[in-house]
Amino acid sequence: MAPSAKVTSVIVGRNIALHLGGRAILTDVSIALEAGQLTALCGPNGAGKSTLLSVLAGEHSSCANHIRYEDRSIADLSPRDLASRRVELEQRPSR
């Protein structure tokens, strides 16, 4: 990338915390996903990778004020707007 090129974060999550069933699932997680970049989430089973993706997709309204798509809070986006900005791939157990 050229030094003068501006990097734009398309999805930004700041200080994300999620509790489910009285248990902390995500604690103080921040992430910035840039346009045109491949990002991998790696970690052991149960680390919260899939949960983080579902939070970034807008599936947990309690976290909505901490997620921005192109400088707009996902709390301000309609379900239709959210759907037009994402693709969901369901996770299935291997056999």
Side-chain angles (χ1 to χ4, degrees), residues 38-95:
L38 176 66
T39 303
L41 292 177
C42 302
N45 291 347
K49 301 175 300 290
S50 296
T51 302
L52 177 59
L53 292 176
S54 70
V55 166
L56 293 174
E59 294 180 14
H60 297 277
S61 59
S62 62
C63 299
N65 290 325
H66 298 275
I67 312 297
R68 301 189 70 77
Y69 282 12
E70 299 173 340
D71 293 329
R72 289 185 64 194
S73 171
I74 64 169
D76 297 334
L77 297 173
S78 70
R80 184 180 196 130
D81 287 337
L82 279 173
S84 72
R85 289 171 165 76
R86 68 178 184 214
V87 174
E88 185 173 336
L89 179 61
E90 189 172 319
Q91 183 175 340
R92 298 195 180 164
S94 59
R95 293 182 182 189

Side-chain angles (χ1 to χ4, degrees), residues 1 5-12 32-37 69-71:
M1 183 172 9
K6 182 180 178 187
V7 175
T8 303
S9 293
V10 177
I11 301 174
V12 177
L33 303 173
E34 299 171 2
Q37 298 294 311
Y69 282 12
E70 299 173 340
D71 293 329

